[in-house]
Each structure stands twice: as C-alpha cells, then as structure tokens.
C-alpha cells in the first residue's frame, strides 16, 4: 500500500513569492495534518483538516493557509515568503481527527516531506 | 511551544551497544509516542505508550513512562548502524488533534 506522498520533494523560492505544497494521504485516511520542521528542531503543528474542514491550527501567521479536497488530499499555501519559512514541511495522515487522543489506537503517518528553501 | 525535551541532544555509540534516550514533558498526558527520522526525511512512528502503562516493548525497543516524574525513556538494544537517526518524543495537544514534538536526540551508531 502506498504511504503518504508529498510533492514536490524540493523547492527553491525567493522572498515575497508564494508556494503551494501538496499531500496525498494513505488510502482510507480522512485526516491530514501539516507540520513545519526547521533545521535542528522538532516538527511544529500548522494545521489539521478532517472531512475538508479545518479542525486545528497551530501558532502560525495568516500567510499560511491550507485546504482539503473531496478525495482527502490537501494543499498548504504560504504567501509572502520569508527567509524564516525555509524548512521541511511534513504532511501526516490518520484515519480519525483525534488520532493522538487516549481513546484512539490510531496514529499519524508522515510523508517524506517537502524541503522549501527561501532565498 | 515544545512539550517534550529529549536528553541527550546527541549520542554516539558503537554497534552492539545499547542506546538510551530520555524525554521530559510538562503537562499531564494521555499518551506519549516516539518517532524516528532519518536524515531530515519523514518521521516513522516507533511506539506509543499510554498513561496507564509503565513499560512497552517492540522488537529491540523498550519504552518506559513515569507519569509522576513526567518522563519517558527509549532504549534501543544491540544497536546497529541503521539505527543512526534522530529520535523524537511527542505528546498530544489538548484537543488530541496534533502532536507536540521535542527537539530530538541525534543518535550516531558507528561500526
């Protein structure tokens, strides 16, 4: 079975530009989450989408937005790129939106990430 | 903000030795998870331990959880060069919709 896929693998942009990252979840998974991982740090939560609705949002500016499509794939958009947006962007999918809760035996499955470099 | 803090930040050992990594967290949790990341790639889920469990095993991995001390440890026995990676502990946010990761421990296993 295919795991979580992300595209593109690498991306180079300049300050002020806009970028769109894509994620396809594991078949049957309805929840997609996005994380940003800056070099040397752990991943930080950006968004969670479930059934095309935003279910959670981390502490990121409005320049970051996302959406989920009827086939449960998702896009993350970042506008007005800053040098500090350079990071590995990870997508994770799970069957349920509360996959990390105590009542769930579900877990999040991560994709390989998109490496974004802002010059 | 980061919930978990791994210790040590970096660990270098020889093949065959055991590797122990520790994680401390700040607030009450329902479960704690450990993930591995190879060379800045995606994260691989290793093991989940619930708050009512004290110890859990999976192959060469042993995880303990001490909720009174708000800490967890990950032990990798008989390490191999292929275990070279960064290891992260993660705890759920309050809504149970996201994971909060620590900064990770970078493990280097040399042959």
């Amino acid at each position: 079975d295919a795991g979580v896929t992300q595209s593109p693998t690498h991306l180079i942009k300049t300050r002020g530009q806009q970028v769109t990252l894509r994620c396809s979840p594991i078949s049957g998974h309805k929840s997609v989450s996005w994380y940003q991982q800056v070099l040397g740090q752990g991943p930080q939560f950006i968004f969670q989408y479930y059934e095309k609705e935003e279910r959670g949002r981390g502490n990121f500016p409005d320049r970051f937005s996302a959406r989920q499509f009827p086939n449960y794939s998702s896009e993350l958009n970042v506008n007005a790129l800053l040098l500090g947006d350079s990071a590995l962007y990870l997508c994770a999918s799970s069957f349920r939106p509360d996959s990390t809760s105590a009542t769930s035996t579900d877990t999040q499955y991560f994709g390989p990430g998109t490496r974004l470099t802002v010059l | 903000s980061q919930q978990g803090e791994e210790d040590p930040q970096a660990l270098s050992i020889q093949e065959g030795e055991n590797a122990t990594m520790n994680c401390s967290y700040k607030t009450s949790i329902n479960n704690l998870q450990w993930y591995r990341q190879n060379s800045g790639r995606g994260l691989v889920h290793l093991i989940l331990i619930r708050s009512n469990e004290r110890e859990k095993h999976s192959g060469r991995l042993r995880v303990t959880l001490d909720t009174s001390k708000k800490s967890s440890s990950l032990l990798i026995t008989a390490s191999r060069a292929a275990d070279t990676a960064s290891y992260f502990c993660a705890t759920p946010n309050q809504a149970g919709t996201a994971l909060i990761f620590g900064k990770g421990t970078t493990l280097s296993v040399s042959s």
Side-chain angles (χ1 to χ4, degrees):
Chain A
D1 286 342
V4 178
T5 59
Q6 292 186 244
S7 63
T9 305
H10 295 88
L11 205 50
I12 298 175
K13 293 283 188 179
T14 56
R15 281 178 296 176
Q17 285 189 312
Q18 175 263 342
V19 69
T20 298
L21 311 180
R22 295 176 177 82
C23 170
S24 292
I26 290 172
S27 177
H29 283 190
K30 300 180 179 180
S31 176
V32 171
S33 298
W34 288 94
Y35 291 81
Q36 180 198 63
Q37 187 179 19
V38 174
L39 196 63
Q41 302 289 320
Q44 285 209 307
F45 171 66
I46 310 175
F47 283 113
Q48 188 205 46
Y49 275 77
Y50 177 72
E51 293 281 16
K52 295 173 289 179
E53 292 199 0
E54 183 183 303
R55 294 290 294 264
R57 183 183 183 118
N59 188 23
F60 280 82
D62 291 343
R63 299 184 296 108
F64 288 78
S65 63
R67 56 179 175 168
Q68 186 177 32
F69 299 98
N71 65 354
Y72 304 112
S73 67
S74 177
E75 286 183 350
L76 174 70
N77 295 286
V78 186
N79 293 322
L81 285 167
L82 303 174
L83 295 179
D85 294 331
S86 295
L88 180 69
Y89 288 85
L90 296 161
C91 172
S93 78
S94 59
F95 183 67
R96 292 169 46 171
D98 60 344
S99 64
T100 63
S101 73
T103 59
S104 173
T105 57
D106 198 5
T107 187
Q108 292 193 352
Y109 295 85
F110 284 80
T114 293
R115 174 75 61 188
L116 172 64
T117 302
V118 182
L119 303 176
Chain B
S1 63
Q2 308 224 281
Q3 160 80 304
E5 290 281 339
E6 290 90 343
D7 170 62
Q9 288 187 349
L11 182 59
S12 293
I13 59 174
Q14 301 276 64
E15 261 190 333
E17 293 180 336
N18 295 341
T20 300
M21 288 158 265
N22 303 296
C23 168
S24 59
Y25 57 91
K26 298 173 185 173
T27 62
S28 297
I29 59 171
N30 293 319
N31 67 69
L32 185 143
Q33 304 181 36
W34 286 89
Y35 282 82
R36 185 186 74 223
Q37 185 177 40
N38 290 83
S39 300
R41 301 284 292 169
L43 292 146
V44 174
H45 181 259
L46 295 176
I47 198 164
L48 180 153
I49 187 166
R50 301 194 186 282
S51 59
N52 61 352
E53 297 175 311
R54 290 295 168 261
E55 188 171 311
K56 203 162 181 180
H57 296 256
S58 177
R60 293 184 295 112
L61 305 180
R62 172 179 164 249
V63 168
T64 62
L65 180 64
D66 187 335
T67 53
S68 66
K69 295 181 179 178
K70 292 189 169 57
S71 67
S72 173
S73 68
L74 170 67
L75 168 67
I76 304 174
T77 59
S79 61
R80 306 165 182 168
D83 294 327
T84 295
S86 292
Y87 292 82
F88 295 90
C89 67
T91 54
N93 64 356
Q94 278 201 327
T97 54
L99 291 169
I100 304 174
F101 289 85
K103 292 184 180 181
T105 292
T106 299
L107 173 66
S108 177
V109 182
S110 54
S111 53

